[in-house]
């Protein structure tokens, strides 16, 4: 695989500083990731991988941490099996980066958070290979690309590099 561009950024990170003012425990934390491939106009392919982590109290609905990040890779796929393993290694690195960031910025409450590790296993490998094959079989379509661009614009989601991370304090 030829890597043309690889970037990742934190879209948002917020910590509710008032969460532990009352006797409260984190009863729920969860991580989710979503990936999709799309062909680009120059014969390469783009993987967009979003990653979220939320932690809070299910009973009150109050949150403690909210994290959102995106990784974008522009690549030329050469060997699906080998390239799938490399992309999964990038996703694993991205997940580890998230876990380290949250650990360093969770206001000493990391022991109360459960951040599941990213595992490279046969299921993930097959899923990535299948996604890559679908991307290869899909030709670049300028009209479709424009529609996707407009949809992303309407959702207010534009993956860009942000150099500043804010920790928001919310009032209870």
């Amino acid at each position: 695989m030829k890597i043309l561009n690889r970037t990742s950024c934190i879209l948002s990170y917020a910590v509710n500083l008032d969460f532990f003012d009352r006797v409260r425990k984190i009863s729920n934390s969860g991580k989710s990731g979503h990936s999709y491939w799309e062909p680009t106009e120059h014969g390469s392919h783009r993987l967009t991988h979003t990653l979220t982590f939320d932690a809070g109290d299910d009973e009150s609905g109050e949150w403690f941490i909210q994290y959102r990040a995106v990784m974008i890779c522009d690549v030329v796929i050469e060997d699906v099996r080998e390239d799938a393993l490399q992309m999964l290694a990038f996703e694993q690195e991205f997940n580890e980066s998230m876990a380290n960031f949250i650990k360093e910025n969770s206001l000493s409450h990391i022991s109360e958070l459960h951040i599941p590790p990213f595992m490279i296993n046969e299921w993930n490998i097959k899923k990535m290979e299948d996604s890559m094959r679908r991307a290869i079989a899909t030709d670049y379509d300028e009209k479709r690309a424009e529609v996707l661009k407009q949809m992303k614009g309407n959702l207010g989601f534009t993956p860009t590099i942000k150099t500043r991370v804010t920790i928001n304090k919310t009032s209870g």
Side-chain angles (χ1 to χ4, degrees):
M1 172 168 49
K2 292 181 186 169
I3 301 164
L4 306 175
N5 183 31
R6 178 178 159 205
T7 186
S8 62
C9 67
I10 296 170
L11 299 172
S12 66
Y13 182 74
V15 174
N16 180 352
L17 300 177
D18 298 329
F19 185 82
F20 291 104
D21 286 353
R22 297 178 260 345
V23 177
R24 181 165 287 136
K25 289 180 111 179
I26 295 172
S27 62
N28 184 28
S29 64
K31 174 184 80 168
S32 66
H34 174 71
S35 297
Y36 66 90
W37 285 93
E38 58 187 319
T40 65
E41 62 185 315
H42 303 294
S44 61
H45 292 85
R46 172 173 289 154
L47 173 74
T48 302
H49 179 72
T50 57
L51 188 59
T52 64
F53 179 82
D54 297 298
D57 177 24
D58 275 345
E59 190 174 311
S60 70
E62 195 171 355
W63 58 270
F64 170 55
I65 287 178
Q66 293 179 327
Y67 176 95
R68 308 282 180 270
V70 66
M71 175 180 68
I72 300 171
C73 296
D74 292 321
V75 302
V76 175
I77 299 170
E78 296 174 327
D79 180 295
V80 170
R81 179 69 178 182
E82 287 180 25
D83 296 351
L85 289 171
Q86 187 171 1
M87 291 309 300
L88 289 170
F90 289 164
E91 286 187 13
Q92 185 173 37
E93 181 183 304
F94 187 50
N95 276 262
E96 289 169 0
S97 173
M98 177 207 68
N100 289 335
F101 182 86
I102 291 172
K103 286 176 186 176
E104 292 173 10
N105 294 285
S106 64
L107 307 176
S108 302
H109 294 285
I110 191 62
S111 63
E112 300 174 54
L113 298 173
H114 172 66
I115 304 173
F118 181 84
M119 305 297 287
I120 297 177
N121 54 37
E122 281 304 314
W123 184 83
N124 283 336
I125 294 168
K126 179 162 178 23
K127 184 178 167 186
M128 181 63 75
E129 287 175 347
D130 290 347
S131 296
M132 292 173 103
R133 284 186 184 97
R134 276 192 303 277
I136 291 168
T138 306
D139 291 330
Y140 177 77
D141 180 349
E142 193 172 326
K143 285 184 179 182
R144 183 176 185 278
E146 186 60 34
V147 168
L148 285 174
K149 184 178 175 182
Q150 289 175 356
M151 287 172 60
K152 288 177 186 176
N154 289 339
L155 294 174
F157 174 76
T158 305
T160 57
I161 299 296
K162 293 186 177 185
T163 56
R164 189 171 47 134
V165 175
T166 59
I167 298 177
N168 301 327
K169 181 175 180 176
T170 62
S171 58

